[in-house]
Amino acid sequence: MKILLISANRERSPYPVFPLGLAYLATPLAAAGHTLSVLDLCFQAEPLSAVTAALDEFCPETVIISLRNIDNVTFPGCRSYLAGVRDLVAVCSGRATVVIGGSGFSLMPREILGYTGADFGVIGEGEVVLPRLMEAISGGDPGSLPGIVLPGAETFLPPAPLTTIGTPDRTLFAVDRYHREGGMANLQTKRGCPFACIYCTYPLLEGARVRLRPVAEIVAEIRTLVDGNGVDYLYFVDDIFNYPVEFALELCRAMRAARLPVNWSAFINPDFLPPHLLEAMLAAGCDALEFGTDSGSPTMLRSLGKSFSVETVREASCLCSEFGVDFAHYILFGGPGESEETIAESFSLMDELAPTAVITMTGIRIFPGTAIQGQALAEGVITPETNLLEPVFYLAPAIRDSLCATVTRLALERKNWVVPGLEINISDAMLEMIRHFTVRGPLWKLVKRLGRSHMNPLEPPPPAS
């Protein structure tokens, strides 16, 4: 069968992200004997025209659309991507069978399938079920497959988690361009998250059991990226790189032993960063750490379901300072119990720790199946009829009307704070300018060069009236 794989993601802020999920699907589909072509819309100025041209040239029997996110989860500057996906499906309908999947789709599969008008939906990991779906489309019962949802169906069989995670096939994709314009290549070492942050969708998408890839396969994949694509910077996309500690330590030692000429960064849980692990990470090429801290308030850490304490955050940060490595804290304001006092606690802790950057979000996007959805229902923030396809954010009642003004005022007093939703030290114009230079790794490392904080940095002036 001729299959056209479409990556629907067009978001380039803060940088374009390589469609890793679609690359994982290419491996089993090619192994099943299908003829594949890829259309990546991230770099297409006219996406619908590009889809039409691909349909005319390749004449696929099936189109598989990967939906990474349904919006940019940023308040108040939120962007939804669903209307664009619906337009893609409309262009393909009648010319090929349209299948939609991906992490974004899996959050609300029946709703998104109904909204877009696709023929089939794939929930969760598609590596095993997608080849089976292709067979069933040719003659079988697609609805009997786990994780396959049909239009109008009230129920579906739950997806079956993979027992073995394979290696993505990047040969059909523009790895070089992502590395050039995004400043890094992405790589996954594990799936699954056993933690219980009240807003997080990782356990819903990947399950609570951690499934590890063989270290030798990961090192071989890095070697291929280095030798085949000239990659010199990696970002590990695991929700938590340093858990389990023993696995992270084994991987770092293997990377160092392989003498891989790459630097890299990753998302880190401060609860699992003993000095010997950080030392091994730096020896393996790590030059930046991102902490999913969420708050500097003990009250808010408990409220958000975090596994660690303020003291743990302090110890991990001091360790980074001692070793001289750049680090950032991600702070999430507006959760249940947030107040002017807890906001002040977060700013105070960040002042004390002096990270390279503080990346801040205001408001918490509500997704089905998360604990915060239940709390929002109980508080009347949403009702059972609320359409969560449209971005809906939780904002604690005590600071709902003042949060953005408070964060803006305090962040502008500090040069190392980045607030995407309020365009403090970040804007689309600024990011486009940075891409003209050879920048490797997270862009937040550049904030230490700022003289002072700015709103709407490098934003084009408004047109003359």
Side-chain angles (χ1 to χ4, degrees), residues 20-365:
L20 192 59
L22 207 56
Y24 270 106
L25 298 179
T27 301
L29 288 171
H34 299 289
T35 302
L36 307 180
S37 181
V38 166
L39 175 60
D40 187 349
L41 298 180
C42 190
F43 304 111
Q44 296 291 336
E46 300 290 340
L48 299 184
S49 297
V51 172
T52 299
L55 293 171
D56 291 340
E57 181 178 348
F58 186 59
C59 299
E61 298 158 80
T62 299
V63 173
I64 296 175
I65 299 175
S66 176
L67 178 58
R68 181 174 178 264
N69 295 309
I70 66 175
D71 56 69
N72 66 343
V73 298
T74 302
F75 179 86
C78 197
R79 296 192 283 254
S80 175
Y81 311 134
L82 286 178
V85 177
R86 181 179 57 187
D87 292 342
L88 295 180
V89 173
V91 170
C92 298
S93 293
R95 301 191 59 176
T97 300
V98 182
V99 179
I100 187 169
S103 56
F105 174 81
S106 299
L107 294 173
M108 289 177 267
R110 285 179 298 183
E111 294 85 349
I112 295 176
L113 190 66
Y115 178 84
T116 60
D119 298 303
F120 300 97
V122 179
I123 306 167
E125 298 164 317
E127 286 94 321
V128 171
V129 75
L130 252 181
R132 295 179 62 191
L133 176 60
M134 297 302 100
E135 293 180 10
I137 289 174
S138 300
D141 180 15
S144 66
L145 298 175
I148 301 299
V149 59
L150 307 181
E154 292 296 321
T155 61
F156 50 82
L157 295 176
L162 294 180
T163 55
T164 302
I165 304 169
T167 299
D169 180 358
R170 305 176 198 248
T171 56
L172 297 173
F173 300 85
V175 177
D176 297 353
R177 184 165 186 181
Y178 277 100
H179 184 246
R180 182 174 67 253
E181 297 193 24
M184 62 188 84
N186 52 2
L187 190 141
Q188 186 177 52
T189 75
K190 65 178 79 72
R191 293 181 191 170
C193 180
F195 300 98
C197 302
I198 65 171
Y199 56 83
C200 187
T201 58
Y202 268 105
L204 301 176
L205 296 171
E206 298 185 354
R209 184 175 66 86
V210 178
R211 292 159 293 151
L212 307 172
R213 293 181 61 196
V215 166
E217 288 185 12
I218 299 169
V219 172
E221 184 179 350
I222 298 172
R223 177 64 69 189
T224 298
L225 286 168
V226 171
D227 294 343
N229 300 103
V231 167
D232 58 12
Y233 202 99
L234 292 171
Y235 184 81
F236 288 99
V237 301
D238 311 328
D239 56 321
I240 299 173
F241 173 83
N242 58 322
Y243 180 85
V245 170
E246 296 78 12
F247 175 76
L249 189 61
E250 179 188 359
L251 175 58
C252 290
R253 288 171 174 168
M255 290 174 64
R256 185 183 185 189
R259 300 180 182 276
L260 295 166
V262 291
N263 289 111
W264 55 273
S265 53
F267 216 65
I268 303 297
N269 184 318
D271 230 356
F272 305 97
L273 194 63
H276 69 279
L277 175 57
L278 180 56
E279 192 170 18
M281 290 168 61
L282 300 182
C286 177
D287 68 0
L289 282 72
E290 300 183 346
F291 291 103
T293 307
D294 286 357
S295 180
S297 162
T299 297
M300 292 308 300
L301 289 179
R302 290 190 297 270
S303 174
L304 294 169
K306 307 305 288 186
S307 66
F308 46 81
S309 66
V310 167
E311 186 54 36
T312 304
V313 173
R314 183 176 284 111
E315 291 172 357
S317 299
C318 290
L319 190 64
C320 290
S321 297
E322 178 185 335
F323 278 86
V325 60
D326 285 322
F327 66 103
H329 286 286
Y330 281 73
I331 301 296
L332 186 58
F333 287 121
E338 192 82 86
S339 65
E340 294 291 337
E341 290 74 21
T342 60
I343 293 172
E345 285 180 298
S346 290
F347 274 91
S348 177
L349 181 66
M350 292 300 108
D351 288 346
E352 173 194 337
L353 302 180
T356 310
V358 182
I359 296 92
T360 307
M361 306 298 285
T362 53
I364 300 178
R365 174 64 158 103

Side-chain angles (χ1 to χ4, degrees), residues 366-405:
I366 301 172
F367 286 110
T370 58
I372 200 166
Q373 182 204 20
Q375 185 148 353
L377 283 167
E379 295 178 8
V381 175
I382 59 174
T383 71
E385 291 73 37
T386 299
N387 177 18
L388 294 179
L389 285 180
E390 291 299 319
V392 179
F393 291 82
Y394 184 97
L395 292 146
I399 47 80
R400 181 174 294 135
D401 298 328
S402 61
L403 176 61
C404 290

Side-chain angles (χ1 to χ4, degrees), residues 327-328 355-359 414-419 424-426 430 434 442-453:
F327 66 103
T356 310
V358 182
I359 296 92
R414 296 155 168 87
K415 71 176 186 177
N416 64 333
W417 282 67
V418 177
V419 191
I424 296 175
N425 289 333
I426 191 171
M430 176 185 180
I434 291 173
L443 297 181
W444 55 258
K445 293 174 67 176
L446 301 178
V447 301
K448 57 189 174 184
R449 303 181 188 177
L450 295 174
R452 61 184 179 87
S453 286

